[in-house]
Short mmCIF file of all heavy atoms in Angstrom, two decimals:
data_model
loop_
_atom_site.label_atom_id
_atom_site.label_comp_id
_atom_site.label_asym_id
_atom_site.label_seq_id
_atom_site.Cartn_x
_atom_site.Cartn_y
_atom_site.Cartn_z
N ASN A 1 85.83 126.28 -192.51
CA ASN A 1 86.18 125.01 -193.15
C ASN A 1 86.90 124.09 -192.17
O ASN A 1 86.65 122.87 -192.14
CB ASN A 1 87.07 125.25 -194.37
CG ASN A 1 86.39 126.08 -195.44
OD1 ASN A 1 85.18 126.27 -195.41
ND2 ASN A 1 87.17 126.59 -196.37
N PHE A 2 87.79 124.66 -191.36
CA PHE A 2 88.50 123.85 -190.37
C PHE A 2 87.55 123.33 -189.30
O PHE A 2 87.66 122.18 -188.87
CB PHE A 2 89.65 124.64 -189.76
CG PHE A 2 90.90 124.65 -190.60
CD1 PHE A 2 91.24 125.77 -191.34
CD2 PHE A 2 91.71 123.53 -190.67
CE1 PHE A 2 92.38 125.77 -192.14
CE2 PHE A 2 92.85 123.52 -191.46
CZ PHE A 2 93.18 124.65 -192.20
N TYR A 3 86.61 124.18 -188.87
CA TYR A 3 85.62 123.70 -187.90
C TYR A 3 84.85 122.49 -188.44
O TYR A 3 84.52 121.57 -187.70
CB TYR A 3 84.62 124.81 -187.56
CG TYR A 3 85.12 125.87 -186.62
CD1 TYR A 3 84.76 127.22 -186.79
CD2 TYR A 3 85.92 125.56 -185.52
CE1 TYR A 3 85.19 128.20 -185.91
CE2 TYR A 3 86.37 126.54 -184.65
CZ TYR A 3 86.00 127.86 -184.85
OH TYR A 3 86.43 128.83 -183.98
N ALA A 4 84.55 122.53 -189.74
CA ALA A 4 83.79 121.45 -190.35
C ALA A 4 84.65 120.21 -190.64
O ALA A 4 84.11 119.15 -190.95
CB ALA A 4 83.15 121.93 -191.65
N ALA A 5 85.96 120.36 -190.53
CA ALA A 5 86.86 119.27 -190.92
C ALA A 5 87.45 118.49 -189.75
O ALA A 5 87.78 117.32 -189.90
CB ALA A 5 88.00 119.83 -191.78
N VAL A 6 87.62 119.15 -188.59
CA VAL A 6 88.38 118.53 -187.49
C VAL A 6 87.47 117.73 -186.56
O VAL A 6 86.25 117.80 -186.64
CB VAL A 6 89.17 119.59 -186.70
CG1 VAL A 6 90.11 120.36 -187.62
CG2 VAL A 6 88.22 120.55 -185.96
N ASP A 7 88.10 117.00 -185.63
CA ASP A 7 87.35 116.19 -184.68
C ASP A 7 86.87 116.99 -183.47
O ASP A 7 85.79 116.71 -182.93
CB ASP A 7 88.22 115.02 -184.21
CG ASP A 7 88.53 114.05 -185.35
OD1 ASP A 7 87.60 113.36 -185.80
OD2 ASP A 7 89.69 114.02 -185.79
N LEU A 8 87.66 117.94 -183.03
CA LEU A 8 87.26 118.81 -181.92
C LEU A 8 88.15 120.04 -181.92
O LEU A 8 89.20 120.07 -182.59
CB LEU A 8 87.35 118.09 -180.58
CG LEU A 8 88.73 117.79 -180.00
CD1 LEU A 8 88.60 117.45 -178.51
CD2 LEU A 8 89.37 116.61 -180.71
N CYS A 9 87.72 121.06 -181.17
CA CYS A 9 88.48 122.32 -181.19
C CYS A 9 88.49 122.96 -179.82
O CYS A 9 87.60 122.76 -179.00
CB CYS A 9 87.90 123.28 -182.22
SG CYS A 9 86.29 123.96 -181.77
N TRP A 10 89.55 123.72 -179.61
CA TRP A 10 89.60 124.67 -178.49
C TRP A 10 89.45 126.06 -179.10
O TRP A 10 90.25 126.46 -179.94
CB TRP A 10 90.94 124.54 -177.75
CG TRP A 10 91.28 125.74 -176.91
CD1 TRP A 10 90.44 126.44 -176.09
CD2 TRP A 10 92.56 126.39 -176.80
NE1 TRP A 10 91.10 127.48 -175.49
CE2 TRP A 10 92.41 127.46 -175.90
CE3 TRP A 10 93.80 126.15 -177.37
CZ2 TRP A 10 93.46 128.31 -175.57
CZ3 TRP A 10 94.85 126.98 -177.04
CH2 TRP A 10 94.68 128.05 -176.14
N VAL A 11 88.39 126.78 -178.71
CA VAL A 11 88.21 128.16 -179.17
C VAL A 11 88.96 129.05 -178.20
O VAL A 11 88.63 129.13 -177.00
CB VAL A 11 86.72 128.54 -179.22
CG1 VAL A 11 86.56 130.00 -179.62
CG2 VAL A 11 85.99 127.65 -180.23
N ALA A 12 90.00 129.71 -178.70
CA ALA A 12 90.93 130.45 -177.85
C ALA A 12 90.41 131.86 -177.56
O ALA A 12 89.24 132.15 -177.70
CB ALA A 12 92.31 130.47 -178.50
N GLY A 13 91.35 132.72 -177.13
CA GLY A 13 90.94 134.02 -176.61
C GLY A 13 90.35 133.89 -175.22
O GLY A 13 89.79 134.83 -174.68
N SER A 14 90.50 132.67 -174.64
CA SER A 14 89.86 132.37 -173.37
C SER A 14 90.87 132.08 -172.26
O SER A 14 90.48 131.85 -171.12
CB SER A 14 88.91 131.18 -173.54
OG SER A 14 89.54 130.09 -174.20
N PHE A 15 92.17 132.10 -172.58
CA PHE A 15 93.22 132.00 -171.58
C PHE A 15 94.03 133.29 -171.49
O PHE A 15 95.06 133.34 -170.84
CB PHE A 15 94.16 130.82 -171.87
CG PHE A 15 93.65 129.50 -171.35
CD1 PHE A 15 93.22 128.53 -172.22
CD2 PHE A 15 93.60 129.24 -169.99
CE1 PHE A 15 92.75 127.31 -171.76
CE2 PHE A 15 93.12 128.03 -169.51
CZ PHE A 15 92.69 127.06 -170.40
N VAL A 16 93.58 134.31 -172.19
CA VAL A 16 94.21 135.64 -172.14
C VAL A 16 93.10 136.66 -171.88
O VAL A 16 91.92 136.33 -171.91
CB VAL A 16 94.95 135.95 -173.47
CG1 VAL A 16 96.18 135.09 -173.62
CG2 VAL A 16 94.01 135.76 -174.66
N ASP A 17 93.50 137.90 -171.65
CA ASP A 17 92.53 138.93 -171.30
C ASP A 17 91.84 139.47 -172.56
O ASP A 17 92.01 140.62 -172.95
CB ASP A 17 93.23 140.07 -170.55
CG ASP A 17 92.24 141.08 -169.98
OD1 ASP A 17 91.04 140.74 -169.85
OD2 ASP A 17 92.66 142.21 -169.67
N VAL A 18 91.07 138.59 -173.20
CA VAL A 18 90.35 138.93 -174.42
C VAL A 18 88.85 138.73 -174.25
O VAL A 18 88.04 139.50 -174.75
CB VAL A 18 90.87 138.10 -175.62
CG1 VAL A 18 89.98 138.25 -176.83
CG2 VAL A 18 92.30 138.52 -175.97
N GLY A 19 88.47 137.68 -173.52
CA GLY A 19 87.06 137.45 -173.27
C GLY A 19 86.43 136.38 -174.12
O GLY A 19 85.21 136.21 -174.12
N GLY A 20 87.26 135.63 -174.87
CA GLY A 20 86.74 134.52 -175.65
C GLY A 20 86.26 134.91 -177.03
O GLY A 20 86.12 136.09 -177.34
N HIS A 21 86.02 133.90 -177.85
CA HIS A 21 85.53 134.10 -179.21
C HIS A 21 84.28 133.26 -179.46
O HIS A 21 83.87 132.47 -178.61
CB HIS A 21 86.63 133.79 -180.22
CG HIS A 21 87.76 134.77 -180.20
ND1 HIS A 21 87.58 136.12 -180.40
CD2 HIS A 21 89.09 134.60 -179.95
CE1 HIS A 21 88.76 136.74 -180.30
NE2 HIS A 21 89.68 135.84 -180.03
N ASN A 22 83.74 133.41 -180.63
CA ASN A 22 82.45 132.84 -181.00
C ASN A 22 82.46 131.30 -180.96
O ASN A 22 83.21 130.67 -181.71
CB ASN A 22 82.09 133.32 -182.41
CG ASN A 22 80.69 132.94 -182.83
OD1 ASN A 22 79.96 132.29 -182.10
ND2 ASN A 22 80.30 133.38 -184.01
N ILE A 23 81.62 130.72 -180.11
CA ILE A 23 81.51 129.26 -180.05
C ILE A 23 80.37 128.75 -180.92
O ILE A 23 80.22 127.53 -181.09
CB ILE A 23 81.30 128.78 -178.60
CG1 ILE A 23 80.01 129.37 -178.02
CG2 ILE A 23 82.51 129.10 -177.75
CD1 ILE A 23 79.63 128.81 -176.66
N LEU A 24 79.56 129.65 -181.46
CA LEU A 24 78.41 129.22 -182.25
C LEU A 24 78.82 128.70 -183.62
O LEU A 24 78.16 127.82 -184.18
CB LEU A 24 77.41 130.37 -182.40
CG LEU A 24 76.84 130.90 -181.09
CD1 LEU A 24 75.91 132.08 -181.35
CD2 LEU A 24 76.09 129.81 -180.34
N GLU A 25 79.89 129.23 -184.19
CA GLU A 25 80.34 128.77 -185.50
C GLU A 25 80.78 127.31 -185.46
O GLU A 25 80.32 126.50 -186.28
CB GLU A 25 81.46 129.67 -186.02
CG GLU A 25 80.98 131.05 -186.43
CD GLU A 25 82.10 131.93 -186.96
OE1 GLU A 25 83.27 131.63 -186.65
OE2 GLU A 25 81.81 132.90 -187.67
N PRO A 26 81.67 126.91 -184.53
CA PRO A 26 82.02 125.48 -184.50
C PRO A 26 80.82 124.60 -184.14
O PRO A 26 80.70 123.49 -184.64
CB PRO A 26 83.12 125.41 -183.44
CG PRO A 26 82.99 126.65 -182.64
CD PRO A 26 82.49 127.68 -183.58
N ALA A 27 79.94 125.11 -183.27
CA ALA A 27 78.74 124.34 -182.93
C ALA A 27 77.89 124.09 -184.17
O ALA A 27 77.40 122.98 -184.39
CB ALA A 27 77.94 125.07 -181.86
N ALA A 28 77.73 125.12 -185.00
CA ALA A 28 76.94 124.97 -186.22
C ALA A 28 77.59 124.00 -187.20
O ALA A 28 76.89 123.34 -187.98
CB ALA A 28 76.75 126.33 -186.88
N CYS A 29 78.91 123.90 -187.15
CA CYS A 29 79.64 123.00 -188.04
C CYS A 29 79.71 121.57 -187.51
O CYS A 29 80.32 120.70 -188.14
CB CYS A 29 81.05 123.53 -188.28
SG CYS A 29 81.12 125.06 -189.24
N GLY A 30 79.13 121.33 -186.33
CA GLY A 30 79.12 119.99 -185.78
C GLY A 30 80.43 119.58 -185.13
O GLY A 30 80.76 118.40 -185.08
N CYS A 31 81.16 120.57 -184.61
CA CYS A 31 82.46 120.32 -183.99
C CYS A 31 82.34 120.42 -182.47
O CYS A 31 81.78 121.40 -181.96
CB CYS A 31 83.48 121.33 -184.50
SG CYS A 31 85.15 121.08 -183.90
N ALA A 32 82.84 119.43 -181.74
CA ALA A 32 82.87 119.51 -180.28
C ALA A 32 83.82 120.63 -179.85
O ALA A 32 84.89 120.80 -180.43
CB ALA A 32 83.32 118.18 -179.70
#
């Protein structure tokens, strides 16, 4: 819901030793 509501997002897990998270969900919601 937040992906579909905001203007843009930073998908985290990418500045720590985690390896990042799913970028396809915000992309599908039309979020930069």
Side-chain angles (χ1 to χ4, degrees):
N1 299 345
F2 278 104
Y3 283 143
V6 303
D7 295 290
L8 72 164
C9 70
W10 161 43
V11 177
S14 49
F15 276 110
V16 290
D17 188 19
V18 170
H21 292 302
N22 187 359
I23 60 173
L24 299 177
E25 289 181 339
C29 292
C31 183

